[in-house]
Amino acid sequence: MTSLNANDLMKMSAREVAGLADLDAYSVREEGFRRQSLAEKKLARLAKQMAAAKAEMEEAGVIITTAFKELAKH
């Protein structure tokens, strides 16, 4: 077993990294965990952005509905 450089693994595709498992399964596993952690953080950030956008859409709906009701009075 050889020790793989973590910086090199970061630059490789998932298939390339997986193909090196026979050389250093521990480094490959750690790179997988690192990528998973980054993806989880991105998903959490995106979920917050989606919730904020949904709230903005609901607020816009209230504004538009109120405007239409006022226009209907005239």
Side-chain angles (χ1 to χ4, degrees):
M1 180 166 77
T2 184
S3 181
L4 298 173
N5 185 330
N7 289 327
D8 291 338
L9 294 177
M10 285 186 229
K11 300 171 189 171
M12 296 179 178
S13 72
R15 288 188 188 276
E16 290 172 324
V17 174
L20 298 174
D22 61 330
L23 297 177
D24 186 350
Y26 293 108
S27 293
V28 169
R29 179 193 64 190
E30 291 307 311
E31 178 61 14
F33 285 149
R34 185 190 73 78
R35 291 182 186 200
Q36 180 180 16
S37 177
L38 289 174
E40 288 171 349
K41 289 175 184 175
K42 285 180 184 178
L43 284 173
R45 188 170 45 252
L46 289 170
K48 288 179 184 177
Q49 291 175 344
M50 291 290 292
K54 182 179 177 186
E56 289 175 21
M57 289 291 292
E58 290 172 357
E59 290 174 356
V62 169
I63 293 168
I64 293 167
T65 301
T66 303
F68 276 128
K69 286 179 181 177
E70 188 62 31
L71 288 171
K73 292 179 183 178
H74 297 105

